[in-house]
C-alpha cells in the first residue's frame, strides 16, 4: 500500500484512509515522499538540506498520525529525489493500491484535482484512490457508490472493489449506471422513466450474483439519467467513496475538473479508480 506524502492535509488524510486497507490485506503501509530535484545550475547545499528536512518532518508527522490510530499496521518510509508523479507511477507496479490526496500544498488549486493526483489516476497500472477527505466515523448516512457501464468484465471489477470497500468500512453500497437521452434537447418524462427501467433491469442482472455471494453487504442499484457529476451533486450528503472503472476514469478531467470536481468536492467524496483490465 503506497501513499504519496507531501506535507499537506490531503496527504495526511490519504495516509489515514489507507490504514484499514493495509490492515485488511495484511501488507505494509509505505509512506513515500518525493523531493523534486532542483535544477543543477541552482544546487545549493542549504536548500537541499532544507528540502530533506521538510520531507522528514512531513513523513514523521504522517507516521505519528497513523500510529495514533492504534491499528496493527507495519509502516515503511521512503524519501527519494524524483518528480513526485514519476516516483509514484514507478511504485505503482508493486502497489496493491496507490493512495494520494486530491490536492497538495497549493491551496489555490483546491477547486480541482492536483496535477500529481491527476497523473497517477490516469497512468498508474494499479488501483488509485484519490482522497478528498477522511472521516473515521462517517455514519450510515454515507455510503459507497460504484459506477459501472454495461461491459460485464468492467462491471465485475468495479463491483468487486466496491463490495470490498463497503464491507471493510461497514457501509451500504449503491451501484449506478448512467445514460443519456438520444435527443438531449427534448425532456420526455415518460421516455426517461422507461429508459431508467431498462437500464436498471440490465444492471440488476449484472449485480444479482454479487448480492447472492455477499448477503452481509447492503447492495442497491440505480439507473441515472444524466451524468455522474449530476448524481454526485444531487446526493452530496450520502456518498463517502465513488468507485469507477479505469476506462471511465479516462475522462477524469470531466469528473474531477470543473465542473465535475465541484460536485466531488461538494459531496466531500473520494474516488477509487480500479485497475486497468489488461493488468493482472
Amino acid at each position: 500500500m503506497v501513499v504519496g506524502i507531501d506535507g499537506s492535509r490531503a496527504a495526511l488524510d490519504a495516509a489515514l484512509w489507507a490504514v484499514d486497507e493495509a490492515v485488511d490485506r495484511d501488507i505494509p503501509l509505505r509512506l513515500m515522499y518525493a523531493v523534486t530535484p532542483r535544477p543543477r545550475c541552482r544546487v545549493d547545499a542549504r536548500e537541499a538540506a532544507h528540502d530533506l528536512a521538510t520531507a522528514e518532518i512531513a513523513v514523521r508527522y504522517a507516521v505519528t498520525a497513523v500510529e495514533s490510530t492504534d491499528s496493527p499496521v507495519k509502516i515503511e518510509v521512503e524519501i527519494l529525489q524524483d518528480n513526485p508523479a514519476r516516483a509514484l507511477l514507478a511504485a505503482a507496479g508493486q502497489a496493491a493500491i496507490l493512495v494520494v490526496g486530491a490536492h497538495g500544498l497549493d491551496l489555490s488549486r483546491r477547486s480541482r484535482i492536483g496535477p500529481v493526483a491527476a497523473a497517477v489516476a490516469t497512468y498508474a497500472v494499479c488501483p488509485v484512490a484519490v482522497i478528498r477527505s477522511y472521516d473515521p466515523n462517517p455514519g450510515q448516512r454515507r455510503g459507497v457508490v460504484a459506477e459501472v457501464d454495461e461491459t460485464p468484465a468492467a462491471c465485475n471489477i468495479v463491483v468487486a472493489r466496491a463490495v470490498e470497500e463497503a464491507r471493510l468500512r461497514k457501509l451500504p453500497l449503491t451501484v449506478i449506471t448512467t445514460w443519456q437521452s438520444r435527443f438531449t434537447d427534448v425532456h420526455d418524462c415518460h421516455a426517461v422513466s422507461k429508459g431508467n427501467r431498462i437500464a436498471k433491469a440490465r444492471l440488476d442482472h449484472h449485480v444479482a450474483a454479487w448480492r447472492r455471494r455477499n448477503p452481509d453487504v447492503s447492495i442497491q442499484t440505480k439507473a441515472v439519467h444524466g451524468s455522474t457529476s449530476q448524481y454526485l451533486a444531487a446526493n452530496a450528503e450520502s456518498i463517502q467513496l465513488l468507485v469507477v472503472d479505469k476506462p471511465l476514469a479516462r475522462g477524469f478531467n470531466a469528473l474531477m475538473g470543473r465542473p465535475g470536481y465541484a460536485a466531488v468536492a461538494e459531496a466531500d467524496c473520494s474516488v477509487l479508480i480500479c485497475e486497468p483490465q489488461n493488468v493482472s
Side-chain angles (χ1 to χ4, degrees):
M1 189 70 55
V2 176
V3 182
I5 299 297
D6 64 0
S8 67
R9 175 69 210 189
L12 184 60
D13 284 343
L16 293 171
W17 184 91
V19 169
D20 288 340
E21 301 284 339
V23 171
D24 186 59
R25 292 168 174 78
D26 193 23
I27 58 177
L29 180 66
R30 187 196 305 177
L31 305 177
M32 175 182 289
Y33 191 114
V35 179
T36 303
R38 294 179 180 271
R40 292 190 177 184
C41 60
R42 293 176 49 196
V43 172
D44 181 279
R46 288 174 298 179
E47 290 179 337
H50 176 268
D51 290 344
L52 180 59
T54 299
E56 290 175 341
I57 291 171
V59 170
R60 190 181 309 123
Y61 188 54
V63 169
T64 300
V66 170
E67 289 178 339
S68 71
T69 66
D70 293 326
S71 297
V73 60
K74 179 182 178 182
I75 304 172
E76 298 178 351
V77 170
E78 183 176 8
I79 298 176
L80 67 163
Q81 280 207 337
D82 199 352
N83 172 273
R86 184 167 55 235
L88 289 169
L89 288 172
Q94 304 298 322
I97 300 179
L98 188 59
V99 188
V100 293
H103 47 76
L105 290 169
D106 185 355
L107 298 181
S108 67
R109 304 184 68 91
R110 293 191 66 170
S111 61
R112 59 191 176 93
I113 187 174
V116 173
V120 298
T122 303
Y123 299 111
V125 295
C126 70
V128 175
V130 181
I131 305 305
R132 178 69 175 79
S133 65
Y134 172 73
D135 182 358
N137 300 297
Q140 287 298 312
R141 71 183 183 86
R142 305 193 71 193
V144 177
V145 171
E147 181 189 10
V148 301
D149 58 21
E150 294 185 5
T151 307
C155 180
N156 287 336
I157 289 174
V158 173
V159 176
R161 285 281 177 186
V163 167
E164 289 179 0
E165 293 299 325
R167 176 180 290 114
L168 176 62
R169 302 178 189 282
K170 296 180 174 61
L171 296 173
L173 168 62
T174 301
V175 183
I176 69 169
T177 185
T178 61
W179 66 283
Q180 299 283 348
S181 298
R182 180 174 299 179
F183 303 105
T184 56
D185 58 334
V186 178
H187 187 75
D188 185 332
C189 293
H190 176 72
V192 169
S193 296
K194 181 179 179 181
N196 280 338
R197 287 195 301 272
I198 293 172
K200 188 176 185 301
R202 291 172 177 167
L203 182 59
D204 282 333
H205 175 73
H206 289 315
V207 174
W210 291 98
R211 281 176 167 152
R212 290 194 300 269
R213 292 197 295 265
N214 301 276
D216 59 317
V217 179
S218 172
I219 304 177
Q220 303 297 321
T221 58
K222 187 175 183 62
V224 177
H225 176 245
S227 68
T228 306
S229 296
Q230 290 171 326
Y231 178 81
L232 292 175
N235 296 275
E237 296 293 324
S238 62
I239 305 170
Q240 179 188 145
L241 178 67
L242 173 67
V243 184
V244 296
D245 183 31
K246 190 74 171 185
L248 289 174
R250 291 296 183 187
F252 204 65
N253 288 334
L255 177 62
M256 300 297 277
R258 299 172 185 254
Y261 186 74
V264 175
E266 181 67 24
D268 207 19
C269 173
S270 298
V271 180
L272 175 59
I273 302 164
C274 295
E275 60 270 40
Q277 295 177 46
N278 63 343
V279 175
S280 58

